[in-house]
Amino acid sequence: MRTKEGRLGWLFASPYLLYAVVFFLIPLVWSLFLSATNWNLISPTFSFVGIQNYLEAFKSPGVQAAFFVAFKFMAVFVPLVIALSIIVALIVQGLPRFKGIFLIGFFLPYLASGVVSSLIVKGILSYNSPVNEFLRKAFGLDIDWLGSPFAALFVVALIIAWKFTGYYALILTSGFESINKEVYEAAMIDGVNAWQRFWKITFPLLYPALYTVLILAIGVTFGIFTEVYQLTGGGPNFATNTWQMEIFSRAFTNLQAGYASAIAIIASVVTFISIYVIRKLLELWGKRNGWD
């Protein structure tokens, strides 16, 4: 029976294992190989350059900008999307009925095309758009939304937060549902106000859901491409130049596939280390609140 169960387990796991080999393992090995070459994506021949691509990448202004831009997006996007997700989850929790319908409504932006939403925002923020016309006439404000480094970064972060808020709110809602209501009843008997209940009871008990959402949100900041490509192209002055934007630019604009592969490997290492460190910090916070 154990042998049959083992075979059955491998049978059910085989589609994912095949998917992982084809779309993750083979591309990873191929990228490692390419990173040691000077292949230009077109020529049938190439030369081995060893670690030269890595050395050039470390000195590249674009790569250096991508490193810091990822953490800038993290500093803006993560608090923004977490706050919005908690607000949406609290609103849904307070509804007497039809919670599922409202959650589906908030979830729909996650299914929207990033290209379409970016193009719509680009039109809304264009110089002659009704929004900018109103700001100029009513307040005398002439804001270059996509030409200012901070404004461009904030606009991109806001679009992505709008897209992921419903998805994360769905996870947080399940976290709210798992909290024992007797804890709140006991706190109310002890005279604990609503603000204290949220910070001293709800927030710590929401740790498993928050942990999941935070890790997912942090992972998103290292994979931003569509919105940046459509709105800013990585500018102005590398202010929104993400890892994916730099890889795309080097591989398909400059035809430096080997160099781009080296950047991709560096980006993967930075992403892994960053998420690992943040995950350990979150686990320390969880242990302080009684989560092992």
Side-chain angles (χ1 to χ4, degrees), residues 11 20 25 27 62 91 98 101 104 130 140 166 181 199 244 251 279 285:
L11 178 64
L25 183 60
I91 291 173
F98 304 123
I101 295 176
I104 291 172
K181 302 301 183 288
W199 285 110
Q244 275 62 35
R279 185 171 64 85
W285 174 64

Side-chain angles (χ1 to χ4, degrees), residues 2 12 14 62 112 128 133 138 142 177 196 211 226 258 273:
R2 292 183 63 183
F12 282 117
S14 59
N128 293 322
E133 289 284 353
D142 191 6
E177 293 287 348
Q196 291 173 326
Y211 178 89
T226 303
I273 293 174

Side-chain angles (χ1 to χ4, degrees), residues 204-223:
L205 292 179
L206 200 61
Y207 168 76
L210 272 175
Y211 178 89
T212 302
V213 169
L214 280 167
I215 295 299
L216 289 173
I218 290 164
V220 166
T221 60
F222 290 97

Side-chain angles (χ1 to χ4, degrees), residues 18-48:
L18 182 62
Y19 174 85
V21 169
V22 173
F23 293 101
F24 289 97
L25 183 60
I26 293 176
L28 176 61
V29 173
W30 181 240
S31 294
L32 286 168
F33 172 77
L34 284 183
S35 68
T37 71
N38 63 353
W39 189 44
N40 63 4
L41 203 65
I42 296 175
S43 175
T45 61
F46 52 80
S47 302
F48 286 95

